[in-house]
Amino acid sequence: MSFSKEEIAQRIAKEIKDGYYVNLGIGIPTLVANYIPEGINVVLQSENGLLGMGPFPFDGEEDADLINAGKQTITTLPGSSIFDSAMSFGMIRAQKVDLTILGAMEVSENGDIANWKIPGKMVKGMGGAMDLVASAKNIIVAMQHINKAGESKLLPKCTLPLTGVKCIKKIVTELAVLDILPEGGFKLLERAPGVSIDFIKQSTAGKLIVEGEIPEMRLD
Amino acid sequence: MINKVVSGAEEAIKDISDGATLMLGGFGLCGIPENCINALVNKQVKNLICISNNAGVDDFGIGLMLKQRQVKKMISSYVGENAEFERQLLSGELEVDLIPQGTLATRCLAAGYGMPAIFTPAGVGTEVAEGKEIRNFGGKDYLMEYAFDADFAIVKAWKGDTAGNLIFRSTSRNFNPVMAMAGKITIAEVEELVEAGELDPDYIHTPGIYVHRIFQGKDYEKRIEQRTVRKVQ
């Protein structure tokens, strides 16, 4: 059975290590914050200028001056800091942020990512996505393996306009966890419970590398 | 001490004329210069080039200027919250230059630091790189991006003093300090204006040298774009 969005987020949360500074994109990545393992100290960066993002405020305690990059009202935590947008992307560019988690429409077998523009549709803009993918040393992409029509979004080559090139090394989808190898290709690491390797093969248009036993994804 | 205080938004923007290039601080609707935007709407200046991370919403922020077709071109990183914007863009009435958010901020920073250009990896290998110079440093490609050249920067701060020093509050800081540094003329509207000497010099975010005009704004709405709350357990 394929994973829900929450389960994808839960699986990605297991990649977060103690002491990490983490930037979470909009969509499934935002949900990762709900599953950070207990006992692990993580500082969330919001690229509009905050380190130490806390949970949503209680009803009535919203502060219009305190939002995240998704424009949602949030809170700060002890140890938080505030800075301007240039410094925010400065720390991203300088690779001070340990882990970036973002969504994608397509990823290619050489690590290219497309997540900002669909030709013929209203273009909203790339926001901070191009800066993040170009600079982050450690990016995990949370995405759907196949679209509603059953077509693969893990491709030999992206068809949509690119956000960044050769920058993605790990992907978690509703079907699998995969690494992108430096020489190219999606290396299958784990599969969702009950999902067959054959189905993952069918669902991956790009080069899929399967070696040895592929364990099922675990959330605990 | 040089006194930079003006009476209000109207006086602050009095010499902004058709075709001017403006920087407007804020992220989403957070930390936008509400008073000056309203004054620009009333003044009905046209053909403006606006550099701002976002373009407001239909009935607030830069959206109000778009509605009156005062904007010729938007230079932004994300413009997704505005139906009138979309209509003008699709009909060709409005130009838009979408640039990565970090590039936008750093092009402001470069202007304020007196540097003509920056090198950034953002956009390498994408359509953003088209026609731009690429340099390789340490085995990695970087795009050359120019510092912005804006006639006016209009920012919103929490507190300011009569010498033009500014302090921002929480994440309404965002683009405001870097834009404040980048304008040929910088206009700051603040929630609370105090006499020089009342703000601790150690806590100033933007030194007054960057600010040419300052006033205490009024009737701040501070609209929230996405009100998200959690339940009391």
Side-chain angles (χ1 to χ4, degrees):
Chain A
M1 209 185 79
S2 64
F3 269 168
S4 66
K5 287 176 179 176
E6 283 74 18
E7 287 166 325
I8 293 173
Q10 214 173 335
R11 174 60 190 83
I12 290 174
K14 286 175 64 181
E15 301 289 321
I16 297 175
K17 297 191 169 65
D18 192 37
Y20 265 14
Y21 291 94
V22 180
N23 180 292
L24 301 177
I26 291 162
I28 299 174
T30 306
L31 301 173
V32 174
N34 301 333
Y35 301 107
I36 294 168
E38 277 196 33
I40 281 189
N41 290 302
V42 171
V43 177
L44 298 180
Q45 199 244 20
S46 189
E47 66 265 22
N48 57 318
L50 169 66
L51 274 168
M53 178 167 57
F56 296 149
F58 290 116
D59 199 358
E61 293 177 4
E62 312 91 279
D63 179 349
D65 287 340
L66 182 53
I67 63 168
N68 65 15
K71 286 117 185 173
Q72 296 170 312
T73 47
I74 47 155
T75 55
T76 55
L77 294 171
S80 284
S81 56
I82 305 272
F83 34 86
D84 65 60
S85 301
M87 185 179 281
S88 184
F89 284 94
M91 63 184 70
I92 288 165
R93 227 180 276 117
Q95 302 193 332
K96 304 295 179 188
V97 177
D98 299 290
L99 176 62
T100 295
I101 301 168
L102 44 79
M105 301 173 193
E106 294 178 349
V107 171
S108 77
E109 63 189 32
N110 71 342
D112 295 352
I113 177 171
N115 74 350
W116 77 285
K117 185 176 183 179
I118 300 174
K121 284 202 178 174
M122 169 65 186
V123 179
K124 296 186 170 192
M126 67 291 282
M130 284 193 182
D131 306 273
L132 283 158
V133 299
S135 295
K137 57 188 169 195
N138 192 4
I139 304 172
I140 301 176
V141 167
M143 66 185 292
Q144 298 298 320
H145 210 111
I146 45 178
N147 66 16
K148 287 192 184 105
E151 294 161 345
S152 179
K153 297 164 84 173
L154 278 58
L155 304 170
K157 198 168 184 283
C158 292
T159 62
L160 296 170
L162 295 179
T163 309
V165 293
K166 290 185 182 172
C167 49
I168 307 304
K169 297 189 185 81
K170 195 176 220 60
I171 305 171
V172 179
T173 76
E174 76 280 21
L175 302 180
V177 181
L178 311 105
D179 270 353
I180 295 179
L181 300 179
E183 64 272 23
F186 299 102
K187 185 169 195 307
L188 185 60
L189 301 179
E190 298 171 25
R191 57 200 169 90
V195 171
S196 70
I197 291 171
D198 273 349
F199 187 69
I200 294 170
K201 273 185 188 160
Q202 280 170 38
S203 305
T204 309
K207 183 181 170 190
L208 184 74
I209 299 157
V210 185
E211 286 173 358
E213 282 293 302
I214 306 297
E216 290 191 345
M217 288 153 84
R218 290 171 59 97
L219 300 179
D220 52 350
Chain B
M1 194 204 70
I2 306 163
N3 190 331
K4 302 188 173 182
V5 179
V6 295
S7 58
E10 249 171 66
E11 186 187 348
I13 64 144
K14 66 178 189 304
D15 53 350
I16 295 182
S17 50
D18 291 356
T21 298
L22 311 181
M23 284 179 170
L24 293 137
F27 182 95
L29 302 178
C30 180
I32 60 172
E34 295 181 23
N35 280 232
C36 283
I37 289 171
N38 289 336
L40 286 164
V41 168
N42 291 335
K43 193 169 193 267
Q44 306 212 348
V45 280
K46 294 219 161 28
N47 289 319
L48 300 171
I49 296 172
C50 291
I51 302 167
S52 182
N53 189 55
N54 311 92
V57 294
D58 277 326
D59 60 344
F60 197 58
I62 294 174
L64 297 171
M65 292 160 66
L66 287 163
K67 199 186 268 179
Q68 295 208 70
R69 306 208 192 156
Q70 293 175 271
V71 182
K72 180 176 71 176
K73 182 177 182 178
M74 277 303 310
I75 300 174
S76 302
S77 86
Y78 191 82
V79 293
E81 321 292 345
N82 191 318
E84 175 62 15
F85 183 99
E86 183 169 348
R87 191 198 63 73
Q88 289 184 25
L89 185 64
L90 294 174
S91 69
E93 294 162 61
L94 177 70
E95 287 174 65
V96 63
D97 195 358
L98 291 170
I99 59 182
Q101 195 175 137
T103 302
L104 183 74
T106 314
R107 288 175 68 187
C108 297
L109 188 84
Y113 275 31
M115 298 183 295
I118 59 158
F119 288 96
T120 175
V124 168
T126 75
E127 64 186 61
V128 166
E130 282 167 20
K132 289 176 184 162
E133 184 176 335
I134 292 177
R135 287 277 297 274
N136 189 286
F137 297 96
K140 183 168 174 168
D141 284 341
Y142 294 79
L143 292 185
M144 187 169 78
E145 298 273 11
Y146 292 102
F148 280 123
D149 184 12
D151 301 314
F152 295 88
I154 305 175
V155 302
K156 152 82 196 319
W158 179 43
K159 288 184 180 180
D161 69 17
T162 52
N165 296 304
L166 304 178
I167 296 175
F168 302 91
R169 180 174 178 277
S170 201
T171 59
S172 70
R173 189 182 318 188
N174 56 61
F175 281 84
N176 283 299
V178 284
M179 288 186 170
M181 296 194 303
K184 283 197 196 76
I185 293 174
T186 291
I187 298 164
E189 55 174 86
V190 300
E191 287 179 55
E192 187 185 353
L193 181 65
V194 300
E195 289 299 320
E198 288 187 35
L199 301 178
D200 184 337
D202 274 334
Y203 289 85
I204 301 295
H205 294 136
T206 297
I209 191 169
Y210 285 115
V211 176
H212 304 87
R213 300 169 193 167
I214 190 167
F215 67 94
Q216 182 169 306
K218 56 184 181 191
D219 304 328
Y220 281 104
E221 180 179 337
K222 291 200 184 184
R223 193 184 293 188
I224 291 174
E225 213 164 328
Q226 304 280 346
R227 185 180 300 272
T228 44
V229 297
R230 69 186 138 138
K231 296 225 162 62
V232 181
Q233 304 261 312

